C-alpha cells in the first residue's frame, strides 16, 4: 500500500491503473466501521484491476467554531497499518496546505431542503463543508465508485443528491453501520468517552430500538393505537434526557428525503428511519436505525 500526500503524486500513481478506483473518504482515527467500507470497496472492484483508495483528511470546513477540529485525533501511522490490513491500495493523506492552498472561496452549497434539517439545524454549514471537500476529493481521485457509511445517514443522502444533480460519473454505495457487541455504533468520537460514558452510550441505540419497536407494533396493530409522530419523538427524547443526555433530536423520518412521514405513511409501509443526535458529557454522538 502506498501513502501519498500530494495531488500530483496521486494522479501519477492512479494513471498506472487500467480503470478508475473505488474510493472511501475518511477523516482518519479509523475503526472497524471504516475497515468494513474498505473491504466492501475491494469486493466492488474485484477483478477489474482498479485500486481501492482511501483518503485521510480532517476537513476544517465542516467543523463549527466550538467543535472538536483541534482535538480530533490525527493517527496516520496506525490508520495506515489498519488500511493496509483491510486491502487498501493507496492512502491519500494531504495536509491542509495541499488541499486548501488558499481559502476555499468556491464552496458547494447544498439546498436547505436536505442540508438545513436534523444535523444541518444543529451544525450550521456542516454539509457545505462536507460537500465541498467531497467534491474536491472526487475531482482529485476521480473514482467510479465511492462508499459512504450509513452511520452518517443524512451525509449519505446529501452526497447522493449532489452526485445526481451535478451529474458526476460516480456510483455512491452505502455501507452498513458497524456496531460494538453491546450495539453502540462505532465512531471515531467514541474514543472521547470516559468509561462511565461508554457504558451509558449504548442507550442511544436502545432508544432508537424503542422507536423502531413502537413503529412495528403500530404497524402490526393496523395503526389502531396510533400515537402521533411528535409523541413518539418526544417520548424517545425524554428517555435520553432522563438518563442525563443532552439530545439535539430524536426523529422519525422517511428514508427517501428525511422529511416526517404522513400519518398514513407512519402506519403503512413507507420505508422510515429513526435518527438521533445527543451529547453525553462533552461528546456528541449520532446514530440511526432503518425501519
Ligand atoms: O464522514 C466523514 O468522515 C467526513 O464527513 C468525510 C466524508 C470524510 C468528509 O470530510
Amino acid at each position: 500500500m502506498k501513502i501519498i500526500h500530494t495531488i500530483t503524486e496521486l494522479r501519477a500513481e492512479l494513471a498506472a491503473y487500467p480503470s478508475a478506483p473505488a474510493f472511501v473518504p475518511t477523516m482518519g482515527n479509523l475503526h472497524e466501521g471504516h475497515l468494513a467500507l474498505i473491504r466492501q470497496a475491494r469486493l466492488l472492484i474485484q477483478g477489474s484491476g482498479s485500486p481501492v483508495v482511501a483518503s485521510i483528511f480532517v476537513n476544517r470546513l465542516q467543523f463549527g467554531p466550538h467543535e472538536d477540529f483541534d482535538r480530533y485525533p490525527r493517527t496516520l501511522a496506525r490508520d495506515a497499518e489498519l488500511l493496509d490490513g483491510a486491502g487498501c491500495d493507496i492512502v491519500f493523506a494531504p495536509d491542509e496546505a495541499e488541499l486548501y492552498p488558499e481559502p476555499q472561496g468556491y464552496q458547494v452549497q447544498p439546498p436547505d431542503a436536505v442540508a438545513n434539517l436534523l444535523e444541518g439545524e444543529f451544525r450550521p454549514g456542516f454539509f457545505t463543508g462536507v460537500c465541498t471537500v467531497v467534491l474536491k476529493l472526487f475531482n482529485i481521485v476521480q473514482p467510479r465508485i465511492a462508499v459512504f457509511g450509513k452511520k452518517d445517514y443524512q451525509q449519505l443522502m446529501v452526497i447522493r443528491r449532489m452526485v445526481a444533480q451535478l451529474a458526476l460519473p460516480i456510483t455512491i454505495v452505502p455501507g452498513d453501520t458497524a456496531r460494538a457487541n453491546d450495539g453502540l455504533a462505532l465512531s471515531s468520537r467514541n474514543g472521547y468517552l470516559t468509561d462511565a460514558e461508554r457504558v451509558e452510550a449504548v442507550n442511544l441505540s436502545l432508544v432508537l430500538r424503542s422507536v423502531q419497536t413502537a413503529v412495528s407494533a403500530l404497524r402490526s396493530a393496523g395503526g389502531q393505537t396510533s400515537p402521533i409522530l411528535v409523541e413518539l419523538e418526544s417520548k424517545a427524547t425524554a428517555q435520553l434526557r432522563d438518563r442525563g443526555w443532552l439530545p439535539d433530536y430524536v426523529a422519525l423520518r422517511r428514508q427517501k428525503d428525511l422529511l416526517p412521514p404522513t400519518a398514513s405513511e407512519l402506519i403503512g409501509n413507507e420505508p422510515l428511519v429513526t435518527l438521533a443526535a445527543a451529547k453525553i458529557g462533552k461528546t456528541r454522538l449520532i446514530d440511526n436505525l432503518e425501519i
Side-chain angles (χ1 to χ4, degrees), residues 56 96 198 237 252 255:
I56 296 182
E96 260 201 302
R198 171 61 190 85
T237 310
L252 181 60
Q255 287 181 19

Side-chain angles (χ1 to χ4, degrees), residues 10 37 59 135 147 152 181 242 273:
L10 180 69
L37 302 182
N59 173 39
L135 181 61
V147 188
D152 295 288
N181 287 341
D242 291 349
V273 55

Side-chain angles (χ1 to χ4, degrees), residues 3-250:
I3 304 177
I4 293 179
H5 299 283
T6 68
I7 297 170
T8 312
E9 273 177 87
L10 180 69
R11 287 199 167 134
E13 180 69 23
L14 288 174
Y17 285 89
S19 56
F23 179 42
V24 181
T26 82
M27 297 205 301
N29 192 23
L30 304 180
H31 51 69
E32 183 48 42
H34 295 108
L35 303 182
L37 302 182
I38 298 287
R39 288 192 281 268
Q40 191 173 350
R42 176 93 267 146
L43 280 178
L44 288 166
I45 46 128
Q46 210 169 26
S48 69
S50 304
V52 172
V53 177
S55 63
I56 296 182
F57 181 68
V58 185
N59 173 39
R60 184 186 291 276
L61 293 186
Q62 71 191 70
F63 286 78
H66 305 294
E67 293 184 354
D68 55 343
F69 176 76
D70 288 325
R71 73 172 177 136
Y72 200 90
R74 273 80 168 169
T75 52
L76 181 60
R78 180 181 163 275
D79 290 346
E81 260 176 50
L82 292 172
L83 287 170
D84 197 14
C88 182
D89 298 299
I90 301 172
V91 184
F92 177 53
D95 64 14
E96 260 201 302
E98 180 68 13
L99 216 59
Y100 299 135
E102 55 184 281
Q104 185 68 32
Y106 289 85
Q107 301 207 359
V108 181
Q109 176 75 60
D112 291 356
V114 288
N116 277 9
L117 58 155
L118 302 169
E119 282 303 280
E121 184 183 338
F122 292 92
R123 304 185 69 189
F126 172 67
F127 288 113
T128 299
V130 168
C131 286
T132 302
V133 80
V134 168
L135 181 61
K136 193 156 186 174
L137 289 167
F138 281 171
N139 286 332
I140 294 166
V141 176
Q142 303 202 356
R144 58 191 173 97
I145 296 168
V147 188
F148 285 81
K150 282 197 207 173
K151 158 85 175 11
D152 295 288
Y153 206 86
Q154 189 176 3
Q155 170 173 279
L156 171 63
M157 189 190 81
V158 168
I159 298 292
R160 274 188 149 149
R161 290 185 177 203
M162 176 181 81
V163 164
Q165 277 209 1
L166 298 180
L168 304 179
I170 303 171
T171 305
I172 302 297
V173 178
D176 286 337
T177 301
R179 294 183 181 276
N181 287 341
D182 65 354
L184 174 69
L186 298 189
S187 161
S188 301
R189 291 187 168 100
N190 292 350
Y192 297 153
L193 300 170
T194 64
D195 289 350
E197 287 165 355
R198 171 61 190 85
V199 171
E200 175 56 32
V202 67
N203 286 292
L204 191 64
S205 62
L206 293 180
V207 162
L208 292 175
R209 280 237 173 270
S210 72
V211 175
Q212 190 187 44
T213 307
V215 174
S216 304
L218 186 65
R219 286 180 163 181
S220 46
Q224 277 147 23
T225 53
S226 151
I228 54 171
L229 177 70
V230 194
E231 274 173 41
L232 277 173
E233 292 180 342
S234 47
K235 193 172 157 208
T237 310
Q239 277 175 327
L240 284 176
R241 201 168 283 125
D242 291 349
R243 303 193 62 89
W245 293 69
L246 271 180
D248 281 345
Y249 58 83
V250 180

Side-chain angles (χ1 to χ4, degrees), residues 266-277:
L266 178 58
I267 57 171
N269 51 15
E270 174 71 27
L272 302 179
V273 55
T274 176
L275 313 97

